[in-house]
Amino acid sequence: MPELGFGEACRLGAKTFVIGAVNPGGTLPEAWVASIVAAIEAGMDVASGLHARLESVDAVARAAARTGRRLHDVRHSARTYPTGSGKRRSGRRLLTVGTDCSIGKKYTALAIERELHRRQVAADFRATGQTGILIAGSGIAIDAVVSDFGSGAVETLTPENNPEHWDVIEGQGSLFHPSFAGVSLALLHGAQPDAFVVCHEPTRRTMRNVATPIADVGDVIEATIRHGRLTNPDIRCVGLAIDTSRLAHDEAGRTLTEHARRLHLPVCDPMRTGVAPLVDELLAP
């Protein structure tokens, strides 16, 4: 696909300029403002997943008001949410968790939902971050919810359902990440998952944007079960989703095999091998 200017993109049918990158803290760099204004003046609405609101930038707000274009702050909701209750609710739920942030939780959840649909199992992907919301068309960016209401927002996102229906919930951060563990714990308590999948990238040595060593997979499994039992005593791990994109084919295969042997769980790379083994374990009687 050739790179297009804003005017040409509009002529070809583009309606919304999406800010698809998020820096730590979700701020809007000053260097981006001119491009956003140019997109608005070319005839586009703007959608942003940043914590910073588009309307808070004077040049962007003035351009939108002048042209009648809409500004969509995807990360922010106008709704209010209750505090979490921990009350058990009908339906089944799977949560993707991780040894770090930005490690494949969203893609794994989407792949599991797709595999469940292929097997004619009722399932819905539940987006909990800005990119997931753009993909699904709905969801709640949990990291933009006031902390007291995080678990309640997840309960709202995954309400009671038919007993055999699966909500496949996009995870965020890691219980071991010093920046985002609070969000991860709220997700775990609010999701009340029956099952979880651990996402991992084996070549990382430290967590994203901090010097903290990458979490051990076994530690993540143990901590997720320990904390998850608060709202679902029957929580269980159904496997690992490992990103082997930085490994050669043979090394990737060995990595998957070694983790499966060590942990006695199904292990896959959602991109290379698919997620069928995880769904087999999920649906096993």
Coordinates of all heavy atoms in Angstrom, one line a residue, residues 24 66 111 134 146 155 184 188 216 227 229 243 263 267:
P24 N 4.8 5.8 26.6 CA 4.5 5.6 28.1 C 3.9 6.9 28.7 O 4.3 8.0 28.5 CB 6.0 5.5 28.6 CG 6.7 4.9 27.5 CD 6.2 5.6 26.3
R66 N -13.9 24.4 13.9 CA -14.0 25.2 12.6 C -14.5 24.3 11.5 O -15.3 24.8 10.6 CB -12.6 25.7 12.3 CG -12.6 26.6 11.1 CD -11.2 27.3 10.9 NE -10.1 26.3 10.7 CZ -9.2 26.0 11.5 NH1 -9.2 26.5 12.8 NH2 -8.3 25.1 11.3
A111 N -7.3 -14.6 18.9 CA -7.1 -15.9 18.2 C -8.0 -17.0 18.9 O -8.5 -17.9 18.3 CB -5.7 -16.3 18.2
L134 N -10.6 -0.4 19.3 CA -10.7 0.0 17.9 C -10.9 -1.2 17.0 O -11.6 -1.2 16.0 CB -9.4 0.7 17.4 CG -9.1 2.1 18.0 CD1 -7.7 2.5 17.7 CD2 -10.1 3.1 17.3
V146 N -10.8 5.2 37.0 CA -10.3 5.5 38.3 C -10.1 4.2 39.1 O -11.0 3.3 39.0 CB -11.3 6.5 39.1 CG1 -10.9 6.6 40.5 CG2 -11.3 7.8 38.4
E155 N -16.3 -6.1 35.7 CA -17.6 -6.8 35.9 C -18.7 -6.3 35.0 O -19.5 -7.1 34.4 CB -18.0 -6.6 37.3 CG -17.1 -7.3 38.4 CD -17.6 -7.1 39.8 OE1 -18.6 -6.4 40.0 OE2 -17.0 -7.7 40.7
S184 N -3.5 -4.7 36.2 CA -3.6 -6.2 36.0 C -4.4 -6.9 37.1 O -5.2 -7.8 36.8 CB -2.2 -6.8 35.9 OG -1.4 -6.1 34.9
L188 N -7.9 -9.0 36.9 CA -8.0 -10.3 37.4 C -9.2 -10.5 38.3 O -10.0 -11.4 38.2 CB -6.7 -10.7 38.1 CG -6.7 -12.1 38.7 CD1 -6.9 -13.2 37.7 CD2 -5.3 -12.3 39.4
D216 N 9.1 -14.6 35.7 CA 9.2 -16.1 35.4 C 7.8 -16.6 35.1 O 6.8 -16.2 35.8 CB 9.8 -16.8 36.5 CG 9.8 -18.3 36.3 OD1 10.7 -18.8 35.5 OD2 9.0 -19.0 36.9
H227 N -4.0 -14.9 43.5 CA -4.8 -13.7 43.6 C -6.2 -13.9 42.9 O -7.2 -13.3 43.4 CB -4.1 -12.5 42.9 CG -2.9 -12.1 43.7 ND1 -3.0 -11.5 44.9 CD2 -1.6 -12.1 43.3 CE1 -1.7 -11.2 45.4 NE2 -0.9 -11.6 44.4
R229 N -8.1 -16.5 43.0 CA -9.0 -17.3 43.8 C -9.9 -16.4 44.7 O -10.9 -16.8 45.2 CB -8.2 -18.2 44.7 CG -7.8 -19.5 44.0 CD -6.9 -20.4 44.8 NE -6.6 -21.6 44.1 CZ -5.6 -22.5 44.5 NH1 -4.8 -22.1 45.5 NH2 -5.4 -23.6 43.8
D243 N 5.4 -15.8 22.2 CA 5.8 -15.1 21.0 C 7.3 -15.5 20.6 O 8.2 -15.1 21.3 CB 5.7 -13.6 21.2 CG 6.3 -12.8 20.1 OD1 6.6 -13.4 19.0 OD2 6.3 -11.5 20.2
L263 N 6.3 -27.3 32.4 CA 5.1 -26.8 33.1 C 3.9 -27.8 33.0 O 2.9 -27.6 33.6 CB 4.7 -25.4 32.5 CG 5.8 -24.3 32.8 CD1 5.4 -23.1 31.9 CD2 5.8 -24.0 34.2
V267 N 1.4 -25.5 25.1 CA 2.1 -24.3 24.8 C 2.1 -24.1 23.3 O 2.3 -25.1 22.5 CB 3.6 -24.5 25.3 CG1 4.4 -23.2 24.9 CG2 3.7 -24.7 26.8

